[in-house]
Amino acid sequence: MPIPSGAPAAVPRVPEAIHRRRWWILAVLMFSLLIVVLDNSILNVAVKTIAGPAPTGIGATQSELEWAINSYTLVFAGLLFTAGLLGDRIGRKKVLLAGILVFGTGSALAAFSASPGELITWRALMGFGAAFVMPATLAVLMNVFERDEQPKAIGIWAGSVGLGIAIGPITGGLLLEHFWWGSIFLVNVPVVVIALVAMAILVPDSRDPNPGKVDPVGVALSVVGLVLLVYGIIRGGELADFTDTTVLLSIVGGLLVLAGFVWHEKRSSHPAIDITYFREPAFSAAVAAIALVFFALMGVTFFAAFYLQSVRGYTALESGLLIVPLAAAQMIFAPRARLVVDRFGARAVCTVGMLLVAAGLASFALFDAGTPVWAMCLVFFVQGTGMAHIMPPVTVAVMQALPREKAGSGSAINNTFRQVGGALGIAVLGSVLSTVYRGDIEGHLGAVPAGVRDMAGESIEATLGVAEKLGPVAGKPLAAAANDAFISAMHVTALGSAAVALIGAVVVGLFLPGRTPAAEAPEEARPTEEQLSH
């Protein structure tokens, strides 16, 4: 895609010493990214166990489970932009090391949570650490690879997400079968230790040599605006009502603050981010595609765990194994996506990728309690293939639009849109799922004692819990009704997700660049490592 005016025409070369060990550095960055992805995918498998009573779980309600996920998302999304700016200013390696250390500490504390409230708190701390890890990995990558190798490196980087998706559920399933639920967090600690040692030895530090003045007003506006917006989205999903006063005040307030952020940045002599990049249709389309695809996918990922475990009766390990095709597709195709883009162009590749994701999501509308395993695996593989041909090209489009010294900011933009899109997906699609489920199950709660009737209609887990207490005779019809109601709600939600993915296909089809000849990166003498760091 064309680089907006103002970006330097010449890109400094990577120091020779760093260039020689670039693939080892990428392996360490992937390992660091793996920690964050692994944790989220493990938690998705464990939600049913954590919802159980002690000592199996901690008796978390549906709302508390959502907040165990969303507290992480809220802090993570709110700080991503600030973390990217901080890495550009003080050094990406320093930020990366600090983020991983905080994430590991939060993981250890979360493992021994005695209540849902404690789990939510420590998950927020993990989100704080992860906010500094995610943008730093991509920013370092952009500073150790030359421009012509960046698409390949980003494809491999994106493929590591698929590896995390594969390892996470399987690891979580194995741990839950043999240990207590807290082991899914404790497993992060040794991984964090290895990552810290490897980064200290291999990863070079880099930063913007001319960061300019600090923009405290812009930073503060970005944090407040993102936190308010994401909180309103999460709260709306929790209440299944986006017209609630607290929800509207938070969302509208967040949008107004972010509008103030844009206004301030456009007029500032030292902006935190150059807003003019968003004037480029290809740049805006790329970040919109990231948000839309994660909106569609995250909502489905959340209810898929309940479909596989509550409706189908699979164990956590079996559920994890069923998701392997999605991860395998990403691992296979993401590193090779650049070759397809070189041949057909980003527009065609990403449009087809979005259509594949939409087709996979729509297929959930055909699933029922007896859908063959091979059909589910095929759908997950199609979704993974689509994702693998979307994320690398749009990430390359975002990152190569900005100068290398602003890589932290570019990575933060990329990840902020991804997180806000994912939070919207969980909240909005979760709200649709909950509303349809409650409407369908209400007529079957006549035999349930009045004192627990409202609670029994909250979620399929709550309904099945009440059905179990009623006994095999009275509870069996209620359990069957719960499964039917959930499948019906899942069908509606899946079609909504597919519609969002189709909107994404239209956006990238209209605004991403088509096939363009590769431009040769200007050759310059390689600077020393000291020059890169200073």
Side-chain angles (χ1 to χ4, degrees):
M1 60 174 283
I3 299 176
S5 58
V11 180
R13 302 284 290 175
V14 175
E16 182 61 38
I18 294 174
H19 183 75
R20 284 198 302 266
R21 66 176 191 266
R22 64 195 184 283
W23 297 111
W24 286 106
I25 294 170
L26 177 60
V28 175
L29 296 176
M30 289 171 58
F31 196 65
S32 306
L33 180 66
L34 186 63
I35 299 170
V36 178
V37 178
L38 185 74
D39 175 74
N40 280 320
S41 56
I42 284 180
L43 184 59
N44 285 334
V45 171
V47 288
K48 187 175 184 292
T49 303
I50 296 173
T56 303
I58 52 175
T61 65
Q62 181 82 7
S63 175
E64 287 168 337
L65 284 173
E66 290 180 6
W67 272 107
I69 295 172
N70 291 330
S71 63
Y72 178 101
T73 302
L74 183 63
V75 176
F76 186 63
L79 290 177
L80 269 172
F81 185 71
T82 303
L85 291 174
L86 194 61
D88 285 345
R89 179 169 290 274
I90 70 171
R92 290 141 193 153
K93 180 177 181 177
K94 299 182 184 71
V95 166
L96 187 55
L97 288 169
I100 290 181
L101 183 61
V102 171
F103 184 87
T105 303
S107 298
L109 293 169
F112 298 99
S113 299
S115 67
E118 287 186 18
L119 178 60
I120 291 168
T121 300
W122 301 132
R123 284 282 297 166
L125 182 63
M126 293 169 69
F128 184 94
F132 290 84
V133 174
M134 186 72 83
T137 58
L138 191 52
V140 171
L141 180 154
M142 298 300 290
N143 279 272
V144 298
F145 283 91
E146 302 295 359
R147 188 178 181 86
D148 60 340
E149 282 190 324
Q150 286 171 0
K152 180 180 181 181
I154 288 174
I156 297 171
W157 178 86
S160 68
V161 175
L163 181 63
I165 292 172
I167 294 176
I170 296 171
T171 305
L174 288 170
L175 290 170
L176 291 171
E177 284 196 356
H178 298 285
F179 304 100
W180 97 113
W181 66 268
S183 61
I184 67 169
F185 297 112
L186 200 60
V187 73
N188 290 334
V189 176
V191 181
V192 163
V193 172
I194 294 170
L196 286 172
V197 173
M199 272 189 290
I201 296 172
L202 289 172
V203 176
D205 203 0
S206 62
R207 58 184 174 85
D208 186 347
N210 299 298
K213 295 181 181 178
V214 179
D215 181 19
V217 175
V219 170
L221 288 173
S222 72
V223 172
V224 173
L226 285 169
V227 169
L228 282 174
L229 176 62
V230 175
Y231 174 80
I233 292 167
I234 292 171
R235 183 63 177 163
E238 183 183 16
L239 298 175
D241 180 10
F242 283 85
T243 62
D244 181 82
T245 303
T246 59
V247 174
L248 287 175
L249 284 175
S250 183
I251 291 178
V252 173
L255 291 173
L256 288 174
V257 173
L258 290 174
F261 167 73
V262 173
W263 181 86
H264 170 77
E265 294 300 287
K266 290 174 70 175
R267 286 158 179 77
S268 175
S269 60
H270 50 281
I273 182 66
D274 189 348
I275 300 299
T276 58
Y277 288 113
F278 286 92
R279 294 177 183 171
E280 289 291 329
F283 181 87
S284 296
V287 293
I290 292 168
L292 288 169
V293 75
F294 273 91
F295 178 101
L297 200 64
M298 288 302 291
V300 171
T301 302
F302 183 71
F303 72 65
F306 289 98
Y307 167 70
L308 293 173
Q309 295 183 49
S310 299
V311 177
R312 301 300 299 265
Y314 294 120
T315 66
L317 176 57
E318 290 168 339
S319 299
L321 290 171
L322 284 171
I323 300 175
V324 167
L326 184 147
Q330 289 196 54
M331 292 167 60
I332 293 168
F333 295 116
R336 296 169 174 80
R338 76 190 191 285
L339 303 176
V340 188
V341 171
D342 288 344
R343 182 169 182 179
F344 299 105
R347 179 190 302 158
V349 172
C350 290
T351 300
V352 172
M354 278 288 192
L355 292 175
L356 287 175
V357 170
L361 295 172
S363 298
F364 274 91
L366 303 176
F367 284 10
D368 57 29
T371 300
V373 170
W374 68 264
M376 290 189 289
C377 290
L378 178 61
V379 167
F380 283 130
F381 188 82
V382 168
Q383 284 183 304
T385 302
M387 287 284 291
H389 289 89
I390 297 168
M391 298 314 298
V394 296
T395 302
V396 170
V398 172
M399 296 304 296
Q400 290 195 343
L402 276 69
R404 178 178 279 166
E405 61 270 18
K406 301 295 183 183
S409 300
S411 181
I413 291 171
N414 179 75
N415 286 291
T416 298
F417 274 81
R418 183 176 68 85
Q419 281 301 121
V420 172
L424 266 171
I426 292 174
V428 175
L429 298 176
S431 176
V432 171
L433 181 76
S434 177
T435 301
V436 176
Y437 177 80
R438 288 176 185 177
D440 286 352
I441 200 63
E442 277 180 0
H444 301 277
L445 299 177
V448 177
V452 295
R453 193 169 296 162
D454 287 342
M455 184 188 71
E458 283 186 0
S459 66
I460 185 172
E461 279 301 304
T463 310
L464 292 176
V466 170
E468 186 176 354
K469 291 178 181 178
L470 291 175
V473 177
K476 188 175 181 180
L478 181 59
N483 288 339
D484 291 341
F486 184 86
I487 289 173
S488 176
M490 182 180 74
H491 291 170
V492 174
T493 309
L495 291 175
S497 303
V500 172
L502 287 175
I503 293 172
V506 173
V507 170
V508 298
L510 289 176
F511 299 111
L512 277 188
R515 184 182 178 188
T516 54
E520 292 295 326
E523 293 289 331
E524 293 189 10
R526 294 190 187 279
T528 64
E529 289 193 49
E530 289 76 19
Q531 288 175 322
L532 182 71
S533 298
H534 297 91

